Amino acid sequence: MDVEEGVFLKVEATEQVIANFALQHLKAATTFESEVARLEAKHDCAEFGPFFEDIRSYASACLMSSAASLEALINELFIAHHSPLRAQLKDFDKEFWGKGGIEWKPILKKYQIALEMLGAEPLDKDNAPYRDAWALIELRNALVHYKPTWDPQRERTVALVDILDGRFTTSRFVDDGADFVSMKCMSADCATWAVNSVLAIIRELECRTDIEPSKLSRFLRLRGD
């Protein structure tokens, strides 16, 4: 089985099995993205109705899978036995998996650590693609640990609304008073933004480093790059 097209890589020397699922997550995200676009086109002239549940199912799945791809990829880049990142860790089990190790860091912090270890410039936290990736992760988290944006305890979610404003077209099937996270973000344009946000981070890795070029190219080919 092709390693990148499949799920598992068996390392004969150690009889370990390493999951490679980041690409599969992003492939799933593009499938869900297409389904949202298809349903929006099918119901183009319709008012809000039961069909929106299908749109919301596919749109939220796209957001979840996109964020999962971003998280899985950086772990795969560290874990691979031939990885230049792994080679720099004297005690991999402790420095990566151990309490307080790299695996415990926030997703984008792992990318910054990887870039630093590879001698590359870190991502600019105040601009794209870092801000888009951060917003995607926060949007995923807001869906998983859902609280309405009017909940006074969810200041982080309210801040997320401000950050996402204007980054994509929200759903035309819901009114202005609809909840932003669970309703307005359920659109084809938001799904496309989610996939593109992951690919933008991958393009930065490809441009700034020489880590796993064949692996990264498989992701970029999902958009014809």
Side-chain angles (χ1 to χ4, degrees):
M1 178 184 292
D2 186 288
V3 170
E4 297 301 341
E5 295 299 329
V7 178
F8 296 108
L9 167 63
K10 185 175 182 181
V11 183
E12 299 293 345
T14 60
E15 293 299 315
Q16 293 180 346
V17 175
I18 299 172
N20 283 272
F21 223 88
L23 180 60
Q24 194 64 46
H25 283 313
L26 202 60
K27 282 183 175 180
T30 61
T31 299
F32 299 138
E33 172 196 10
S34 296
E35 282 300 300
V36 179
R38 182 185 66 80
L39 287 166
E40 284 191 350
K42 179 180 178 181
H43 299 282
D44 185 44
C45 298
E47 298 294 326
F48 179 85
F51 67 87
F52 188 73
E53 283 303 306
D54 290 334
I55 288 178
R56 192 156 74 156
S57 294
Y58 285 117
S60 59
C62 179
L63 294 170
M64 302 286 190
S65 293
S66 295
S69 178
L70 194 64
E71 185 166 11
L73 175 60
I74 190 59
N75 284 348
E76 290 174 14
L77 293 175
F78 270 102
I79 291 169
H81 279 261
H82 59 276
S83 170
L85 297 172
R86 184 180 185 123
Q88 292 188 47
L89 301 177
K90 295 179 180 179
D91 186 340
F92 180 78
D93 285 343
K94 179 179 180 180
E95 294 178 65
F96 187 81
W97 296 114
K99 188 171 183 179
I102 294 170
E103 165 56 11
W104 291 66
K105 308 294 183 185
I107 298 170
L108 291 177
K109 178 62 175 178
K110 294 180 189 177
Y111 279 91
Q112 299 287 53
I113 291 171
L115 288 168
E116 181 181 357
M117 290 173 66
L118 295 170
E121 286 291 320
L123 298 167
D124 182 351
K125 292 183 178 181
D126 296 322
N127 292 293
Y130 186 100
R131 292 299 279 174
D132 284 285
W134 180 88
L136 170 61
I137 295 164
E138 286 294 303
L139 183 53
R140 185 274 305 271
N141 292 345
L143 287 168
V144 173
H145 310 288
Y146 178 69
K147 289 187 178 181
T149 51
W150 43 259
D151 187 319
Q153 301 302 315
R154 284 299 290 151
E155 293 181 6
R156 195 179 183 105
T157 301
V158 174
L160 175 63
V161 174
D162 293 336
I163 291 170
L164 289 175
D165 185 40
R167 276 180 157 77
F168 50 79
T169 303
T170 56
S171 176
R172 62 179 177 272
F173 299 109
V174 300
D175 59 34
D176 289 341
D179 181 71
F180 184 83
V181 170
S182 64
M183 300 292 281
K184 290 185 177 181
C185 287
M186 302 297 108
S187 71
D189 202 43
C190 180
T192 296
W193 164 82
V195 174
N196 288 344
S197 295
V198 177
L199 292 173
I201 292 290
I202 293 172
R203 289 190 189 96
E204 288 299 316
L205 278 178
E206 183 187 52
C207 290
R208 296 172 188 232
T209 76
D210 61 356
I211 191 169
E212 296 277 15
S214 62
K215 182 184 183 78
L216 299 186
S217 68
R218 288 180 169 87
F219 290 83
L220 300 178
R221 285 203 294 269
L222 293 175
R223 284 288 197 247
D225 291 13

